[in-house]
Amino acid sequence: MKQNIKKILAALVLAVTVLGLTACGNTASVEQQDMYDKEQLQSVADYLITLWTSMPEEEISQYASMDKEDAQMLIDTYGLPFTGDAFTSAFAGYEGSLEELGAYVSTDGYEDPEVKGDEVTFVADLTYKNRTARLSLVFNKRGVVESVTLDPKYSTGEILKKAGMNTILGMGTVFIVLIFISLVIYCFNFIPGNQAAKQETKPAPKPRPARKPAARPAAQSRENLVDDKELVAAITAAICAYSGASSDGFVVRSIRRADSSTWKRA
């Protein structure tokens, strides 16, 4: 591990020296030189691309996972034109895109530097085995790389496919969660405590109206008249007078009202 780091550091120092020679052939600082010199920016991009393609995946992974303090110490020691975050993120971004990009094929060209305030963005178009990519380096006013981005380019079909998969996954997740919530709510019906609460909340049944006592038959009320001795005696006398019989020959045991039709016939 230490030997590999030493080799990389030596290569970086050599590259920085070459960059200094290509920038007007003197040792003046970047601030004193033209920071928009396309050849100088191109040299930094080419060096980074060469460094990626010449390293095995194990070493790329080591630099991608390098501690921020170690990366900054490395940069300060050898005067590399990168910030600590830009150095580690450059390797991390390339490592994450290795599977999609494949092997390096060629550098197709460079775009003109784009100046925004104190920053300059330099873009290189690259071709890999599986697809093309866009390498963007952002330099500050001191000529130090603050950000490195490697963006693989996807076809319209691939973009639509990814968008469709994301939509299906998102909507599917929402529906699954809603179904699960519905099942949980439905299971509450089988909880004993919940059933008791429902029974308590049910409205009390309306009381039924009391039934009126049925009226006793008129015959029964009339039969009670047997206890009236005066009425019995009067009726007995009337019978005796009508039939001419003696009261000793019969006994009145009950008195009932006859139908009106019978009196009519009489």
Side-chain angles (χ1 to χ4, degrees), residues 140-158:
N140 59 19
K141 63 181 180 180
R142 295 182 291 108
V144 178
V145 179
E146 291 184 333
S147 174
V148 178
T149 306
L150 183 63
D151 295 323
K153 294 182 180 180
Y154 300 94
S155 63
T156 304
E158 291 175 330

Side-chain angles (χ1 to χ4, degrees), residues 17-201:
T17 303
V18 173
L19 292 176
L21 293 175
T22 57
C24 300
N26 55 39
T27 59
S29 64
V30 179
E31 293 179 348
Q32 295 174 347
Q33 299 174 4
D34 185 6
M35 64 175 293
Y36 309 131
D37 185 0
K38 186 175 180 178
E39 293 183 358
Q40 180 184 355
L41 303 180
Q42 179 179 333
S43 299
V44 177
D46 288 341
Y47 171 72
L48 184 60
I49 295 169
T50 303
L51 199 60
W52 283 344
T53 56
S54 62
M55 282 185 178
E57 294 184 9
E58 293 78 6
E59 293 186 11
I60 294 175
S61 179
Q62 291 173 1
Y63 278 91
S65 59
M66 180 178 291
D67 185 78
K68 182 178 179 180
E69 295 180 357
D70 294 340
Q72 190 62 48
M73 182 177 64
L74 177 67
I75 291 169
D76 294 339
T77 302
Y78 295 95
L80 304 179
F82 294 90
T83 62
D85 291 336
F87 186 78
T88 55
S89 63
F91 286 91
Y94 181 71
E95 182 185 21
S97 303
L98 271 175
E99 185 176 353
E100 294 183 350
L101 294 175
Y104 171 78
V105 177
S106 63
T107 300
D108 300 332
Y110 306 94
E111 299 180 7
D112 292 333
E114 182 180 354
V115 181
K116 289 184 179 180
D118 294 335
E119 293 182 345
V120 179
T121 302
F122 185 74
V123 178
D125 296 322
L126 310 176
T127 299
Y128 290 86
K129 182 179 180 181
N130 298 334
R131 65 184 72 253
T132 59
R134 194 168 183 266
L135 175 63
S136 300
L137 293 89
V138 179
F139 296 81
N140 59 19
K141 63 181 180 180
R142 295 182 291 108
V144 178
V145 179
E146 291 184 333
S147 174
V148 178
T149 306
L150 183 63
D151 295 323
K153 294 182 180 180
Y154 300 94
S155 63
T156 304
E158 291 175 330
I159 294 174
L160 293 177
K161 183 179 179 180
K162 284 189 174 183
M165 290 298 298
N166 292 335
T167 302
I168 293 174
L169 290 175
M171 295 182 65
T173 303
V174 171
F175 279 110
I176 291 174
V177 172
L178 291 176
I179 293 172
F180 175 75
I181 293 174
S182 300
L183 292 175
V184 171
I185 295 174
Y186 176 73
C187 291
F188 287 163
N189 295 327
F190 302 98
I191 300 176
N194 193 33
Q195 292 290 341
K198 284 187 175 182
Q199 292 178 0
E200 291 178 358
T201 56

